[in-house]
Amino acid sequence: MEKVEVISKELIKPSSPTPPHLRSFKLSLLDQLSPPIYIPKIFFYTGKDGDNLQQSYQVAKKLKASLSKTLAIFYPLAGRIKDDDTVGDTIDCNDEGAEILDARVKIQLFEFLKKPHAEVLDQLVPGDILFTRSGAEDVPLAIQVNSFECGGVAIGVLLSHKIVDAAAMVEFISKWAATARGTNEEAMDVTLVSASLFPPRSSVLRHMLPISETVVMRRLVLDANAIAALRARATGHPTLRPHPPTRVEVVSALISRCFMKARNDKGPTTVSVPTHAVNLRGRMVLPVQHSCFGNLWAVTVTKGVAISESYGDMQGCLENELRESISAIDSDFIEELKGPDGAIKAHEGMKNMAENYLDRDIQVCTFTSWCRFPFYEVDFGWGKPTWVSCCTVPINNVAIFIDRRCDDGMEAWVNMEADDMARFEQDQELLSFVSIP
């Protein structure tokens, strides 16, 4: 197996100090509600026309210099997260800096990309802080620059979910890349207003995630034809005619059903409850800009679907439930989130699920879609990424969707317990639509 060796580690400080009046940055209610984990993303670059990126561009040096300039704009990412239930979570914008690691990978990039192992992908990000550090001040941002033998580079980024969601993550990385390319700094605007939209609370019940050390990850690849076949099959369900479900809805329903079957082989599970993360930016009365930084998402919880051996019954019901629950995240819902009982509203779906199925065995599947986010447009000056990947997220029954570079297909990064995964990845219905590289 390929060996990833970390050569150095340092802190990159902002190019200009944060003004004293911006020293304490309040997190919003949605920041407080977000899970205490890091969002991982890895960008692979082969360079232009086979250029050796290490020699031609001095990758690490260029990335560090441009990161320092970018942190002057995104100044909370150079601070330290403080957790204080008496005043709410804040970031001490003390300019201590973001962590950046230099690493070497003893293989050529094109060879690695033929069969990328999950165990190696996990080494391409600063994995020692995949979860926030208990009892310590948290580093919001950590980066690892991985140089392959051929000159190819993989940039692994971890951003604290207590500060950003995936939309804010791609906004930061895009601005960092633009700075590396030498783009005019006037384009480096960012809106840090999430706390004014969703005021923080002094005491908030955070999302409880099923964290497990025995979770394994599989990458499911669905090309455009497979997704088209799933959507065409869905039109036969009466509740979904005449409008077919979206690709995210059909793939979520398929994976949820196969999750259920894998889990049911181990013991009786009677209800499947998919949940989905929903981006709020375009759903508000006055839609906010994509440059609005912070967590602007909410979890939608379906009513739950009883297990069924019939594909049409269960698959169609799951698709319908997903559509209805996602549609319910509308401007009225968001206005309630902004109100004094916003934290209660945020947990309403989970509370209802627990009450409705108190005496039932429940399988909760968590989905988040990063499709349509411009990750494949991130260009640091040596071209767009050859591949953008995730890595293992040690949370049980979580699936993350990412666009494919070449077509309207997607990759689903599925994380579940090892024994459940052994059954899940052998499901013939699943394999008729996906490939597992």
Side-chain angles (χ1 to χ4, degrees), residues 1 14 41 44 48 64 135 137 140 166 192 205 211 213-214 217-218 235 245 290 303 359 379 383 415:
M1 184 178 295
K41 185 63 65 178
F44 293 85
K48 297 178 180 177
K64 291 173 184 178
E137 296 179 348
L192 301 168
L205 178 63
I211 296 171
E213 295 181 357
T214 57
M217 181 272 292
R218 293 291 184 272
T235 58
H290 289 290
K303 296 177 182 178
D359 58 344
D379 180 358
N415 302 266

Side-chain angles (χ1 to χ4, degrees), residues 154-352:
I155 302 173
V157 181
L158 291 179
L159 265 169
S160 173
H161 210 334
K162 295 179 73 174
I163 300 179
V164 303
D165 55 16
M169 182 184 201
V170 73
E171 180 70 15
F172 162 73
I173 296 173
S174 297
K175 294 288 173 59
W176 174 26
T179 304
R181 295 196 309 271
T183 300
N184 193 321
E185 291 188 10
E186 291 181 0
M188 289 287 290
D189 62 313
V190 62
T191 307
L192 301 168
V193 297
S194 57
S196 63
L197 294 173
F198 299 93
R201 299 289 181 258
S202 60
S203 182
V204 173
L205 178 63
R206 290 165 173 78
H207 289 296
M208 302 300 292
L209 295 172
I211 296 171
S212 172
E213 295 181 357
T214 57
V215 163
V216 296
M217 181 272 292
R218 293 291 184 272
R219 176 170 64 104
L220 313 184
V221 179
L222 298 95
D223 61 25
N225 291 333
I227 293 175
L230 272 171
R231 296 185 71 195
R233 191 170 183 177
T235 58
H237 195 269
T239 61
L240 297 169
R241 292 196 298 260
H243 305 292
T246 66
R247 59 177 183 157
V248 168
E249 288 167 355
V250 293
V251 176
S252 299
L254 174 68
I255 293 175
S256 184
R257 172 172 160 78
C258 294
F259 264 147
M260 171 74 79
K261 289 193 290 182
R263 184 65 180 84
N264 201 51
D265 288 341
K266 190 163 64 174
T269 302
T270 58
V271 178
S272 174
V273 181
T275 72
H276 239 291
V278 179
N279 188 359
L280 303 182
R281 287 169 176 78
R283 295 172 179 259
M284 299 185 186
V285 174
L286 295 175
V288 298
Q289 298 178 353
H290 289 290
S291 61
C292 189
F293 200 66
N295 282 287
L296 290 172
W297 65 286
V299 174
T300 180
V301 182
T302 67
K303 296 177 182 178
V305 176
I307 190 168
S308 169
E309 294 301 323
S310 167
Y311 175 90
D313 288 346
M314 188 176 178
Q315 180 78 11
C317 288
L318 283 168
E319 290 161 351
N320 187 54
E321 290 290 341
L322 283 164
R323 169 169 292 186
E324 289 186 357
S325 63
I326 292 172
S327 298
I329 306 296
D330 55 14
S331 58
D332 291 338
F333 177 92
I334 295 170
E335 288 303 309
E336 290 188 61
L337 276 183
K338 294 180 179 180
D341 295 325
I344 297 174
K345 185 66 178 178
H347 290 291
E348 187 176 67
M350 287 294 184
K351 180 175 179 290
N352 292 340

